[in-house]
Each structure stands twice: as structure tokens, then as C-alpha cells.
Amino acid sequence: MSEILSSLRSLMATHSPPLDALVVPSEDYHQSEYVSGRDKRREFVSGFTGSAGLALITKNEARLWTDGRYFLQATQQLSNEWTLMRMGEDPLVEVWMSDNLSEEANIGVDPWCVSVDTANRWSKSFAKKNQNLVPTTTDLVDEVWQNRPPSQMSPVVVHPLEFSGRSVSDKLEELRSKLKQESARGYVIAALDEVAWLYNIRGTDVAYCPVAHAFAIVTTDSAFLYLDKKKVSTEASDYFKGLGVEVREYTDVISDVALLASDRLFSSFSSKSTKDMEIDSDRSDEWLWVDPGKCCYALYSKLDADKVLLQPSPLSLPKALKNPVELEGLKKAHVRDGAAVVQYLVWLDQQMQELYGASGYFMEAESNKKKRTSETAKLTELTVSDKLESLRAAKEHFRGLSFPTISSVGSNAAIIHYSPEPETCAEMDPDKIYLCDSGAQYLDGTTDITRTVHFGKPSPHEKDCYTAVLKGHVALGNARFPKGTSGYTLDILARAPLWKYGLDYRHGTGHGVGSYLFVHEGPHQVSFRLHAMNVPLQASMTVTDEPGYYEDGNFGIRLENVLVVNDAETEFNFGDKGYLQFEHITWAPYQVKLINLEQLTREEIDWLNTYHLKCKDILAPFMNQTEMEWLKKATEPVSVLV
């Protein structure tokens, strides 16, 4: 890391103008959460592998900001050259820069890797000391990154109507209707999942995310797609021609945005001629729509700021509101996925007993510390997660994982987004909690599930914590609430049982899930963070329910199901608002031996028994005899003796 920092500081000194600081964001040109290997610039300079964070390099300091999911991980991964800045506890990056850098300091950033919102916020913060945000002409990290991974060249694939459930022409019609409502003549689309959703295409440019690196521009009469044309097969080319979508090179987007600004961007498919465009006197007064949180500053800078409509994407909400085909596909995908998870737990239970002398999933006793017969019999966090992937891969429509599996034992489970590595992953331990957060991409849906189990004898404290997490999980999943309610309002339901003991967790409680797209999807979420207030939950949205508790150095617990928001039938309808409720579509049992049943209410026990009965019946067609016997035992009704 010393050599990388030294090289960057040399480039900063020779830059025109010389830079007092360099910001290295996590995001790519599309402001993505998950990025391709060649776009992991922040990871390259810092060594921190989490999906969220920002690096700041000054002449004599290096600091990294990240959120509560990654505090422990960052502490372990950062060298002593770096200082960890805890978001929510330490000053914001723009505040720190404004307060600690000199008057008229020049702060560099690649304008392709920072959003309009962020760049404008920083510039405002810098103004009080006449500091300058300097867009670099090249990314300085790329200049020092030897052996940078190459670009992916996988072909774009058309996502058929049998899975997408909605035609491109219908989506374009709705988008253009919104443009007209806002007196806008065009929308610049930078988010990869929005491009994929709008044009019903998928790709493999980013690991775990079925998208292609692409931009799009849609006007009231034209549609453009910008990607490397080597990814476009003859079949795909014909598909785009049939839609009237003009395909141009990925690098053409910057010049075409400039043409759009001057109303000189024309498509060969447009119904209007160039002459018609030139004499349309009203068009110069119309807006160009840009989502300030998703569009990079590089593209925005080519537009006339006085004629830009900075508003949330008009595609984000329609994408989040799943159509009937998508909902049906998601439910089927979660059934197959749940079957794989149960088959995995059956296999793992057997292996832990045979190799490690564990009492097992059902019995509550200390392990007998049975010695393995050979090194090949060793189970690690990574080898068991590979087994889970193989079980998923055997299921219909499987296309890969939806994120790196969080397979974590003991203290590693306290690292919220832990990812096991071959060289450092832990061996499975029958006397420690095991947390597995995993998901998959299927043609008909994206999945995300977490279960926490113990194959030995859990401590009373571990059981109390698991029970509190379960109670929060059930409380949120059982909620009924008036239309117009946001996830910010509901978040407390999942935390209240933990708060009773003075416990909490540092991450949000739920996120949307895509339809064979990103596993983390907005614009809605269930969270204590204020931006969760911005978008109310609506029927046909998906959202996860995943409270947890993490004790550094000891263990971590999380339980997660995917929910669908549905209309609710209530006896009354106060204020004529209408009410909503959740439907669970994830199927896998909760480990009863980790539950303090006497701490559950009658309603919670009834819910658990009902869920387990459904779980057994829904997954039965996928189970062999051994697996079915295990599942029956795992879903037996429970009760509390009075």
C-alpha cells in the first residue's frame, strides 16, 4: 500500500492544478453498489474489500469512510497507514475536508465516479474556504494500477417476456408520458439496472449482477443504448432495431449528452426529421431529466445546469413495483431456493455430526470434539458455501449467486458483510454459531435469505439474542399499516425486542429485491436512516426483513426473509387510506433449539407453527426421503407448557 500511496501522491503533485487531496469513491461510472473487478479502485488503494466506502488521500494522510456494516471488517483490513472514519460517528467526508484542508485547497476526483448530488454537496461545503473540487481528466488510480483486470466482453442477452412480464414499448410509453408531465424532452439513464430493466436485457459484466455496462438516453421520440458493440450479437441487434432503439458505442455517450443539451441528438429511427427538430421552437424551453443520485458528474457537466431537471429517476419506482409475471416468478424462485437451503442444512447437519462429533441441529449438547480422520475431511466456511452453491446450481433457471455468500462461524459472524477467503477462512466449529446469508440469480427472480444455526449447545445469552432477533423479524413481517407508510416508520418494529435488552444493530432492516436484477434495489427500504422516509411502501413491492445482533469477537445473528407488500383487508378503514401487509415468500425453517419459547407470545408461537407448516408443505416436492424426514422434524409444532 505504501508504494501505491506514494505513486498517487506523485501524480497529485504533478497534476494541473496540483492536488492537495484525492478522493477515491467505491462507485463506477454508473454509481453502482457492486462493481466489476477493474472498477474496484477504492479496494485497490486501501485494501478494504467492503462494498461501501470512500478513500481520501492527502499529502500526508490516508483515511477511509465506511458505514456500520463494515466497521469491524475495515479495522481488520486497513494497514496502519490508514485511519478508519466511522460514518454516523465521525465527521462527514466533506466536513472533514473543509475543516482540515487549507484555504483554496484543490480536491481531485474522477467525475465519472461521483454522482451529481455528491459533487454538488461537496462543492457547497468547500465554498466557505474557497476550496475547489477538481474533476480530473483521467482517473489517477488507473494510472498506477498495474495488472488492472480487463473489461468483460460477454454478450448482451434479451430477457424474454415470459420472465419480464412487460414489453419494452410499454415501458417506453410510460417513461415518455412522465417526461411530458414534467415538460422534459429527454432522460439520461446511467444506472445499470434501469438500463437492463427498461430494454429487457441482461448481461454478465458485473459479478453477481446480471447487467451490462451501458448508458441510455430516452427522448420524447427517440431511444438510444450505449455499450460496447462487440457485446451485441446479430440476434440482439435485430431485437434493438425492432424496438426502434439505436445502439451506439459506450464511449459515445459523453458527446451525445452534449448533443442532447443543444437539441442536436437525432436517431435514425426517429419519426421526426432533422428539419422538423430544428424548427420546433418550443423544445428549447423543455427540461432534460437527470437523477442526481445515479448520474455521474461527468455527464451532467455537459448539460446546461439551468435546463436540467434534478429529480429521482422516473424508472426507479416502476421497476420496484413488480408486475404479476415478476411476482409469480419471484415466488417460484424462492421456493426452489428454499429447497436448496434446506438440502444444504440437512447435509451440513450430517457432516457436522460425522466429522466433528456435533450434537446436531436438533440436539442441545456439547460436541464430543471428534477428531477428523484427514485434512480432506476438513470443513471450512468456504467449502460449505461451495456446497450450497452446487445445490442451487442444480435448480431450474439458476444463473449464479446474487452476492458473495456470507458463510461465517463464531466471531466472523459478527462481521456483518463477512466474505470468507481461501487463505484465511475459519474451520467449521460445532460449538459456535454459524450464520449464512446467501442468495441466487434465477431467470425468474433474485433471492436473498439468512439463517443462523448452532450444531452444539448454544449459551443462554446466544438464545436470548436469537429470540430477540426472531421476535423483531416476526413483528415486522406481521405488520399491517396504512398506505403512505414508509420503511422508516416500520423499522422500529424489528428493533424494539432488541432495545428491551439495550441491544441494536448498525444496518438497515430491509431493502428491495430485483427481478433477476440487483439483490439490493430501491427506491424504498426499511431503515432508521432518514432517506428511508422518502418513498412509502406500496403493494407489489418486495422488501427484506432482516434484523440482527452482532457481538464483536464472539458471534453474530441475523434472520432474513423476502416479503411482498400486499393490500390488506381490515375491519375498518380509517381515513379511507387503505391498508397494507406483508407476505413471506422465503421458505426455510428457524432453528427451534436457539429459541427461548417461553419468551414468545401466543401470537408469535402460532405464527412460527403456521410458517413451519407451510414451509414443510411447499418444499416437500423437492425433498428426498432423508431430507423430508429432517424437514418434518425441523418444522414440528412447538408449544410452551403453562
Side-chain angles (χ1 to χ4, degrees), residues 54-66:
L54 178 147
L56 175 68
I57 300 162
T58 69
K59 293 176 180 178
N60 48 28
E61 287 190 83
R63 293 175 178 262
L64 181 124
W65 276 257
T66 192

Side-chain angles (χ1 to χ4, degrees), residues 176 180 184-185 219-224 244 246 263-284 286:
R176 286 172 174 145
K180 291 177 181 177
R185 59 184 173 87
T219 71
T220 51
D221 47 42
S222 303
F224 301 86
E246 184 157 324
D263 202 14
R264 292 183 294 117
L265 179 62
F266 308 128
S267 167
S268 58
F269 297 108
S270 175
S271 58
K272 288 188 176 183
S273 68
T274 302
K275 184 177 180 181
D276 291 333
M277 300 275 193
E278 291 173 346
I279 64 174
D280 192 342
S281 59
D282 294 332
R283 292 175 64 88
S284 61
E286 294 179 330

